[in-house]
Amino acid sequence: MTTKEILRVNLFPNARCVASGSQPNQKADLASINWSSTNHFFSLVNEGDAGAFAFWLIPVTAGSAYVFRCGIIYGSGNPARGPIVEIRDGNANGVSLASIGDTKPSQSEQVLRFTAKSDQVALIFRGAKNEAGKTSVEVWNPQLELASTFDAAV
């Protein structure tokens, strides 16, 4: 019997969700980010009523297909300040490549597929509006990888 080994590489900058790990490149209206390396999740806590916002710029290979998979807990009945999770081209034009809506998803596990247009993407997380001081979104087990390794492993 032969086995096929696949090397899966998680490109999310803080995949273990460690407080001392990579922080977002930009954040706004964010009181804090709570990290749990034990359970591999982070949560955004709103500072004001605009809705928390945080994103990481992640290097990728232009023209390659990718998958971002995570669990989302979005407890609010209020809409977010934009898509709860969005992947945008990292260039100045910032074209949206994939997203989930601005209201609570029907299931917690989310899988977003996209093809990189340039050498970086912006992975954006947004919280609920009108929820000052509350945890607006929790992201569990963030995994960004090449679609070829994701598809071969599942």
Side-chain angles (χ1 to χ4, degrees), residues 25-102:
N25 293 82
Q26 185 175 355
K27 51 191 176 185
D29 301 312
L30 186 63
S32 65
I33 298 179
N34 297 325
W35 299 96
S36 175
S37 59
T38 304
N39 297 311
H40 302 286
F41 82 91
F42 65 91
S43 59
L44 305 181
V45 179
N46 287 337
E47 181 176 66
D49 286 334
F53 172 89
F55 80 83
W56 281 263
L57 283 173
I58 303 170
V60 293
T61 302
S64 293
Y66 291 88
V67 173
F68 178 68
R69 181 173 77 177
C70 68
I72 293 287
I73 296 178
Y74 186 82
S76 175
N78 291 328
R81 69 187 286 165
I84 297 167
V85 178
E86 183 176 24
I87 299 161
R88 298 182 72 88
D89 182 68
N91 281 341
N93 63 4
V95 174
S96 183
L97 304 173
S99 66
I100 62 172
D102 67 349

Side-chain angles (χ1 to χ4, degrees), residues 11-32:
L11 301 172
F12 186 76
N14 195 347
R16 291 181 49 233
C17 299
V18 178
S20 62
S22 173
Q23 298 297 307
N25 293 82
Q26 185 175 355
K27 51 191 176 185
D29 301 312
L30 186 63
S32 65

